[in-house]
Amino acid sequence: MIEPTGLRARKKARTRDAIAEAAVSLFLAHGFDQVSVSDIAAVAEVSKPTLFRYFPTKEDLVLQGFADHQGEAARVVRDRPSDVSPMAALHAHFLDGLDRFEPVTGLNDHPAVVDFHRLVFTTPSLAGRLLQYMLADEQALAEALDPGPDVQARLRAAQVIAVQRVLARANWQKIADGRSARDVRPEAVADADQAFARLR
C-alpha cells in the first residue's frame, strides 16, 4: 500500500517537531553542553541517523525556530507593493512582529521563550550557528535589494540584519530583567522607528 504524500509529509513534520521539542526541553533542563545527541534521540524515540536527517547539527536542534524565519527579510522585499520602498516594507514587517509579540523580535515574555533566548544568547556554539543563519539572511536580502554584485546592496542588507538583531536582543534583555512584553512594547516600537529611520 502506498502512503499518500500528504500523510507522509504530516508524519515527517510531527517527527521533526517531536525531536526539536525533546531537544529544547533537555537543553533548558540540563544545559546545551550537558546533553548529547544520543540523549535527545532516546527521548524522541528515534535513531541518531533519523535525528540527523532532520537536523544536520546539534545547534540546529535549538535554532530551528530561527530557521523557520530564514530568508524572511528577502521575501518581504520581493513581495512588497511596487509603491513601497524596501526599508518601509521591512520596517512595517518588524512592527507587525512586535504587534504580534513574535518571539523572533525578542518581544515575548512567555517564560519558555525567555529561557530559550537565554540559552541561545549565552551558549557560544549556538550564537555562532545563529550568526551563520544571519549571514545567509544577509546574502538573500542583498540579492533581493539588487541581484547584481553591488557592494552597496550588501552593505544595506548587513545593516538591516544587524539592526533587527540588536533590536530583538534589546527587547529580550528588558524582559529577561523582569519587565513584561506589554510594558516594553512602546519602547520597542520607538526603538524600531528610530532605527529604521536611520536606515532610510
Short mmCIF file of all heavy atoms in Angstrom, two decimals, residues 25-73:
data_model
loop_
_atom_site.label_atom_id
_atom_site.label_comp_id
_atom_site.label_asym_id
_atom_site.label_seq_id
_atom_site.Cartn_x
_atom_site.Cartn_y
_atom_site.Cartn_z
N SER A 25 13.68 20.94 25.36
CA SER A 25 13.33 20.64 26.75
C SER A 25 14.53 20.11 27.54
O SER A 25 14.78 20.53 28.68
CB SER A 25 12.17 19.66 26.69
OG SER A 25 12.12 18.83 27.73
N LEU A 26 15.31 19.23 26.93
CA LEU A 26 16.52 18.71 27.60
C LEU A 26 17.57 19.81 27.79
O LEU A 26 18.20 19.92 28.84
CB LEU A 26 17.11 17.55 26.80
CG LEU A 26 16.35 16.22 26.88
CD1 LEU A 26 16.88 15.24 25.83
CD2 LEU A 26 16.47 15.61 28.28
N PHE A 27 17.75 20.63 26.76
CA PHE A 27 18.75 21.70 26.84
C PHE A 27 18.39 22.70 27.93
O PHE A 27 19.26 23.17 28.68
CB PHE A 27 18.88 22.44 25.50
CG PHE A 27 19.47 21.60 24.39
CD1 PHE A 27 19.06 21.80 23.08
CD2 PHE A 27 20.44 20.65 24.64
CE1 PHE A 27 19.60 21.06 22.04
CE2 PHE A 27 20.98 19.89 23.61
CZ PHE A 27 20.56 20.10 22.31
N LEU A 28 17.11 23.05 28.02
CA LEU A 28 16.69 24.01 29.05
C LEU A 28 16.84 23.43 30.45
O LEU A 28 17.18 24.14 31.40
CB LEU A 28 15.24 24.44 28.81
CG LEU A 28 14.99 25.34 27.60
CD1 LEU A 28 13.50 25.58 27.40
CD2 LEU A 28 15.73 26.67 27.73
N ALA A 29 16.60 22.13 30.57
CA ALA A 29 16.69 21.49 31.89
C ALA A 29 18.13 21.25 32.33
O ALA A 29 18.45 21.37 33.52
CB ALA A 29 15.93 20.16 31.87
N HIS A 30 19.02 20.90 31.38
CA HIS A 30 20.37 20.46 31.76
C HIS A 30 21.51 21.29 31.18
O HIS A 30 22.66 21.11 31.58
CB HIS A 30 20.57 19.00 31.34
CG HIS A 30 19.51 18.08 31.87
ND1 HIS A 30 19.42 17.73 33.19
CD2 HIS A 30 18.48 17.45 31.24
CE1 HIS A 30 18.38 16.91 33.36
NE2 HIS A 30 17.79 16.74 32.20
N GLY A 31 21.22 22.15 30.23
CA GLY A 31 22.27 22.93 29.57
C GLY A 31 22.66 22.29 28.25
O GLY A 31 22.65 21.06 28.11
N PHE A 32 23.01 23.12 27.29
CA PHE A 32 23.30 22.64 25.93
C PHE A 32 24.45 21.64 25.91
O PHE A 32 24.37 20.59 25.28
CB PHE A 32 23.61 23.84 25.02
CG PHE A 32 23.86 23.46 23.59
CD1 PHE A 32 22.81 23.15 22.76
CD2 PHE A 32 25.16 23.40 23.09
CE1 PHE A 32 23.03 22.80 21.42
CE2 PHE A 32 25.39 23.05 21.77
CZ PHE A 32 24.32 22.75 20.94
N ASP A 33 25.54 21.98 26.58
CA ASP A 33 26.74 21.14 26.51
C ASP A 33 26.61 19.84 27.30
O ASP A 33 27.37 18.90 27.07
CB ASP A 33 27.96 21.93 27.00
CG ASP A 33 28.28 23.09 26.08
OD1 ASP A 33 28.11 22.94 24.85
OD2 ASP A 33 28.67 24.16 26.57
N GLN A 34 25.65 19.77 28.22
CA GLN A 34 25.50 18.57 29.04
C GLN A 34 24.60 17.51 28.40
O GLN A 34 24.51 16.39 28.90
CB GLN A 34 24.92 18.93 30.42
CG GLN A 34 25.92 19.56 31.38
CD GLN A 34 26.41 20.92 30.91
OE1 GLN A 34 25.63 21.77 30.52
NE2 GLN A 34 27.73 21.11 30.92
N VAL A 35 23.94 17.86 27.32
CA VAL A 35 23.01 16.93 26.67
C VAL A 35 23.63 16.42 25.38
O VAL A 35 24.10 17.21 24.56
CB VAL A 35 21.66 17.62 26.36
CG1 VAL A 35 20.72 16.68 25.61
CG2 VAL A 35 21.01 18.11 27.65
N SER A 36 23.62 15.11 25.19
CA SER A 36 24.17 14.53 23.96
C SER A 36 23.07 14.30 22.94
O SER A 36 21.89 14.24 23.26
CB SER A 36 24.87 13.20 24.27
OG SER A 36 23.89 12.22 24.58
N VAL A 37 23.49 14.12 21.70
CA VAL A 37 22.54 13.80 20.63
C VAL A 37 21.87 12.46 20.93
O VAL A 37 20.69 12.27 20.67
CB VAL A 37 23.26 13.79 19.27
CG1 VAL A 37 22.35 13.25 18.17
CG2 VAL A 37 23.73 15.19 18.91
N SER A 38 22.62 11.53 21.52
CA SER A 38 22.03 10.23 21.89
C SER A 38 20.92 10.40 22.92
O SER A 38 19.89 9.72 22.85
CB SER A 38 23.11 9.31 22.47
OG SER A 38 24.08 9.03 21.50
N ASP A 39 21.11 11.32 23.88
CA ASP A 39 20.06 11.60 24.87
C ASP A 39 18.78 12.08 24.18
O ASP A 39 17.68 11.64 24.51
CB ASP A 39 20.52 12.69 25.86
CG ASP A 39 21.70 12.29 26.70
OD1 ASP A 39 21.88 11.08 26.95
OD2 ASP A 39 22.45 13.19 27.12
N ILE A 40 18.96 12.98 23.22
CA ILE A 40 17.80 13.55 22.52
C ILE A 40 17.09 12.47 21.70
O ILE A 40 15.86 12.36 21.74
CB ILE A 40 18.25 14.70 21.60
CG1 ILE A 40 18.85 15.83 22.45
CG2 ILE A 40 17.08 15.23 20.78
CD1 ILE A 40 19.73 16.78 21.67
N ALA A 41 17.88 11.68 20.98
CA ALA A 41 17.30 10.62 20.16
C ALA A 41 16.50 9.65 21.03
O ALA A 41 15.40 9.22 20.65
CB ALA A 41 18.39 9.89 19.39
N ALA A 42 17.02 9.33 22.21
CA ALA A 42 16.33 8.39 23.10
C ALA A 42 15.00 8.97 23.57
O ALA A 42 13.98 8.27 23.56
CB ALA A 42 17.22 8.06 24.30
N VAL A 43 14.99 10.24 23.98
CA VAL A 43 13.76 10.86 24.46
C VAL A 43 12.74 11.00 23.33
O VAL A 43 11.54 10.79 23.52
CB VAL A 43 14.05 12.23 25.12
CG1 VAL A 43 12.77 12.98 25.41
CG2 VAL A 43 14.84 12.03 26.41
N ALA A 44 13.22 11.33 22.12
CA ALA A 44 12.32 11.50 20.97
C ALA A 44 11.94 10.16 20.34
O ALA A 44 11.10 10.12 19.45
CB ALA A 44 12.98 12.38 19.92
N GLU A 45 12.58 9.09 20.82
CA GLU A 45 12.31 7.74 20.32
C GLU A 45 12.58 7.60 18.82
O GLU A 45 11.78 7.08 18.05
CB GLU A 45 10.87 7.30 20.66
CG GLU A 45 10.62 7.27 22.15
CD GLU A 45 9.20 6.82 22.51
OE1 GLU A 45 8.29 6.94 21.65
OE2 GLU A 45 9.02 6.37 23.65
N VAL A 46 13.76 8.13 18.42
CA VAL A 46 14.23 7.97 17.05
C VAL A 46 15.70 7.55 17.11
O VAL A 46 16.36 7.69 18.14
CB VAL A 46 14.10 9.27 16.22
CG1 VAL A 46 12.64 9.70 16.10
CG2 VAL A 46 14.94 10.39 16.81
N SER A 47 16.22 7.07 16.00
CA SER A 47 17.64 6.73 15.93
C SER A 47 18.46 7.99 15.68
O SER A 47 17.92 9.01 15.21
CB SER A 47 17.89 5.73 14.80
OG SER A 47 17.64 6.35 13.56
N LYS A 48 19.76 7.93 15.97
CA LYS A 48 20.62 9.09 15.68
C LYS A 48 20.63 9.43 14.19
O LYS A 48 20.54 10.60 13.82
CB LYS A 48 22.04 8.83 16.20
CG LYS A 48 22.18 9.12 17.69
CD LYS A 48 23.53 8.74 18.23
CE LYS A 48 24.65 9.55 17.66
NZ LYS A 48 25.96 9.25 18.29
N PRO A 49 20.72 8.42 13.28
CA PRO A 49 20.68 8.77 11.85
C PRO A 49 19.38 9.48 11.47
O PRO A 49 19.39 10.41 10.66
CB PRO A 49 20.79 7.41 11.15
CG PRO A 49 21.52 6.54 12.13
CD PRO A 49 21.05 7.01 13.48
N THR A 50 18.25 9.06 12.06
CA THR A 50 16.98 9.74 11.77
C THR A 50 17.05 11.18 12.26
O THR A 50 16.64 12.11 11.56
CB THR A 50 15.81 9.01 12.45
OG1 THR A 50 15.70 7.71 11.88
CG2 THR A 50 14.50 9.76 12.26
N LEU A 51 17.56 11.39 13.46
CA LEU A 51 17.69 12.74 14.01
C LEU A 51 18.50 13.62 13.07
O LEU A 51 18.10 14.75 12.75
CB LEU A 51 18.34 12.67 15.39
CG LEU A 51 18.46 13.98 16.17
CD1 LEU A 51 18.38 13.72 17.66
CD2 LEU A 51 19.77 14.69 15.85
N PHE A 52 19.63 13.10 12.57
CA PHE A 52 20.49 13.91 11.71
C PHE A 52 19.90 14.12 10.32
O PHE A 52 20.32 15.04 9.62
CB PHE A 52 21.89 13.30 11.63
CG PHE A 52 22.73 13.56 12.85
CD1 PHE A 52 23.25 12.52 13.60
CD2 PHE A 52 23.00 14.86 13.27
CE1 PHE A 52 24.01 12.77 14.73
CE2 PHE A 52 23.76 15.12 14.39
CZ PHE A 52 24.27 14.07 15.13
N ARG A 53 18.93 13.32 9.94
CA ARG A 53 18.25 13.59 8.67
C ARG A 53 17.40 14.86 8.78
O ARG A 53 17.21 15.57 7.81
CB ARG A 53 17.34 12.41 8.27
CG ARG A 53 18.06 11.35 7.47
CD ARG A 53 17.10 10.47 6.68
NE ARG A 53 16.09 9.82 7.48
CZ ARG A 53 16.25 8.66 8.10
NH1 ARG A 53 17.41 8.02 8.03
NH2 ARG A 53 15.27 8.12 8.78
N TYR A 54 16.90 15.13 9.96
CA TYR A 54 16.08 16.31 10.18
C TYR A 54 16.91 17.53 10.59
O TYR A 54 16.55 18.66 10.26
CB TYR A 54 15.03 16.05 11.27
CG TYR A 54 13.93 15.11 10.81
CD1 TYR A 54 14.03 13.74 11.02
CD2 TYR A 54 12.79 15.61 10.18
CE1 TYR A 54 13.02 12.88 10.61
CE2 TYR A 54 11.77 14.76 9.76
CZ TYR A 54 11.90 13.39 9.97
OH TYR A 54 10.90 12.55 9.56
N PHE A 55 17.96 17.29 11.35
CA PHE A 55 18.78 18.39 11.89
C PHE A 55 20.25 18.06 11.68
O PHE A 55 20.79 17.18 12.37
CB PHE A 55 18.49 18.58 13.38
CG PHE A 55 17.05 18.94 13.67
CD1 PHE A 55 16.15 17.96 14.04
CD2 PHE A 55 16.60 20.24 13.53
CE1 PHE A 55 14.83 18.27 14.31
CE2 PHE A 55 15.27 20.57 13.79
CZ PHE A 55 14.39 19.58 14.18
N PRO A 56 20.93 18.75 10.76
CA PRO A 56 22.33 18.42 10.44
C PRO A 56 23.30 18.58 11.60
O PRO A 56 24.30 17.88 11.67
CB PRO A 56 22.68 19.38 9.31
CG PRO A 56 21.40 19.93 8.81
CD PRO A 56 20.40 19.80 9.92
N THR A 57 23.02 19.52 12.52
CA THR A 57 23.93 19.73 13.65
C THR A 57 23.13 19.79 14.96
O THR A 57 21.92 20.03 14.94
CB THR A 57 24.72 21.06 13.52
OG1 THR A 57 23.83 22.16 13.73
CG2 THR A 57 25.40 21.18 12.16
N LYS A 58 23.83 19.62 16.04
CA LYS A 58 23.19 19.73 17.36
C LYS A 58 22.62 21.13 17.56
O LYS A 58 21.53 21.31 18.11
CB LYS A 58 24.23 19.40 18.44
CG LYS A 58 23.70 19.37 19.86
CD LYS A 58 24.82 19.01 20.83
CE LYS A 58 24.40 19.19 22.27
NZ LYS A 58 25.53 18.97 23.21
N GLU A 59 23.33 22.14 17.07
CA GLU A 59 22.87 23.52 17.20
C GLU A 59 21.55 23.74 16.46
O GLU A 59 20.69 24.49 16.92
CB GLU A 59 23.94 24.49 16.67
CG GLU A 59 25.15 24.65 17.56
CD GLU A 59 26.12 23.47 17.48
OE1 GLU A 59 26.00 22.65 16.55
OE2 GLU A 59 26.99 23.36 18.36
N ASP A 60 21.40 23.07 15.32
CA ASP A 60 20.16 23.24 14.54
C ASP A 60 18.94 22.73 15.29
O ASP A 60 17.81 23.17 15.02
CB ASP A 60 20.28 22.52 13.19
CG ASP A 60 21.26 23.22 12.26
OD1 ASP A 60 21.33 24.45 12.28
OD2 ASP A 60 21.96 22.51 11.51
N LEU A 61 19.14 21.82 16.22
CA LEU A 61 18.03 21.34 17.05
C LEU A 61 17.41 22.47 17.85
O LEU A 61 16.20 22.50 18.08
CB LEU A 61 18.52 20.26 18.02
CG LEU A 61 18.82 18.89 17.41
CD1 LEU A 61 19.76 18.11 18.30
CD2 LEU A 61 17.52 18.13 17.20
N VAL A 62 18.24 23.41 18.26
CA VAL A 62 17.76 24.55 19.04
C VAL A 62 17.25 25.66 18.14
O VAL A 62 16.22 26.28 18.40
CB VAL A 62 18.90 25.11 19.94
CG1 VAL A 62 18.43 26.33 20.71
CG2 VAL A 62 19.41 24.05 20.88
N LEU A 63 17.96 25.90 17.05
CA LEU A 63 17.72 27.09 16.25
C LEU A 63 16.69 26.89 15.14
O LEU A 63 16.54 27.76 14.29
CB LEU A 63 19.05 27.58 15.65
CG LEU A 63 20.09 27.98 16.71
CD1 LEU A 63 21.40 28.33 16.05
CD2 LEU A 63 19.58 29.13 17.56
N GLN A 64 15.98 25.77 15.16
CA GLN A 64 15.01 25.53 14.09
C GLN A 64 13.93 26.61 14.05
O GLN A 64 13.41 26.93 13.00
CB GLN A 64 14.40 24.13 14.17
CG GLN A 64 13.84 23.76 15.52
CD GLN A 64 12.34 23.88 15.59
OE1 GLN A 64 11.67 23.88 14.59
NE2 GLN A 64 11.82 24.00 16.79
N GLY A 65 13.62 27.23 15.18
CA GLY A 65 12.65 28.34 15.19
C GLY A 65 13.17 29.53 14.38
O GLY A 65 12.41 30.18 13.66
N PHE A 66 14.47 29.79 14.49
CA PHE A 66 15.07 30.85 13.69
C PHE A 66 15.12 30.43 12.22
O PHE A 66 14.91 31.24 11.32
CB PHE A 66 16.48 31.18 14.18
CG PHE A 66 16.51 31.89 15.50
CD1 PHE A 66 16.70 31.17 16.68
CD2 PHE A 66 16.35 33.26 15.59
CE1 PHE A 66 16.72 31.81 17.92
CE2 PHE A 66 16.37 33.90 16.82
CZ PHE A 66 16.56 33.18 17.99
N ALA A 67 15.39 29.15 11.99
CA ALA A 67 15.45 28.64 10.61
C ALA A 67 14.11 28.81 9.91
O ALA A 67 14.06 29.03 8.70
CB ALA A 67 15.88 27.18 10.61
N ASP A 68 13.02 28.74 10.67
CA ASP A 68 11.69 28.93 10.08
C ASP A 68 11.52 30.34 9.51
O ASP A 68 10.65 30.57 8.68
CB ASP A 68 10.59 28.65 11.12
CG ASP A 68 10.51 27.18 11.50
OD1 ASP A 68 11.05 26.33 10.74
OD2 ASP A 68 9.92 26.87 12.54
N HIS A 69 12.35 31.27 9.99
CA HIS A 69 12.29 32.65 9.51
C HIS A 69 13.38 32.95 8.47
O HIS A 69 13.56 34.09 8.07
CB HIS A 69 12.43 33.63 10.68
CG HIS A 69 11.26 33.62 11.61
ND1 HIS A 69 10.13 34.38 11.39
CD2 HIS A 69 11.01 32.91 12.75
CE1 HIS A 69 9.25 34.16 12.35
NE2 HIS A 69 9.77 33.28 13.18
N GLN A 70 14.11 31.90 8.07
CA GLN A 70 15.21 32.07 7.12
C GLN A 70 14.71 32.72 5.83
O GLN A 70 13.69 32.31 5.27
CB GLN A 70 15.81 30.70 6.78
CG GLN A 70 17.15 30.78 6.11
CD GLN A 70 18.28 30.96 7.10
OE1 GLN A 70 18.39 30.23 8.07
NE2 GLN A 70 19.12 31.93 6.87
N GLY A 71 15.40 33.76 5.40
CA GLY A 71 15.05 34.43 4.16
C GLY A 71 13.84 35.35 4.25
O GLY A 71 13.36 35.87 3.24
N GLU A 72 13.36 35.58 5.47
CA GLU A 72 12.13 36.38 5.64
C GLU A 72 12.30 37.82 5.14
O GLU A 72 11.42 38.36 4.46
CB GLU A 72 11.72 36.36 7.11
CG GLU A 72 10.34 36.88 7.37
CD GLU A 72 9.89 36.53 8.78
OE1 GLU A 72 10.28 37.24 9.73
OE2 GLU A 72 9.16 35.53 8.93
N ALA A 73 13.42 38.44 5.47
CA ALA A 73 13.63 39.83 5.05
C ALA A 73 13.64 39.93 3.52
O ALA A 73 13.06 40.86 2.95
CB ALA A 73 14.94 40.37 5.63
#
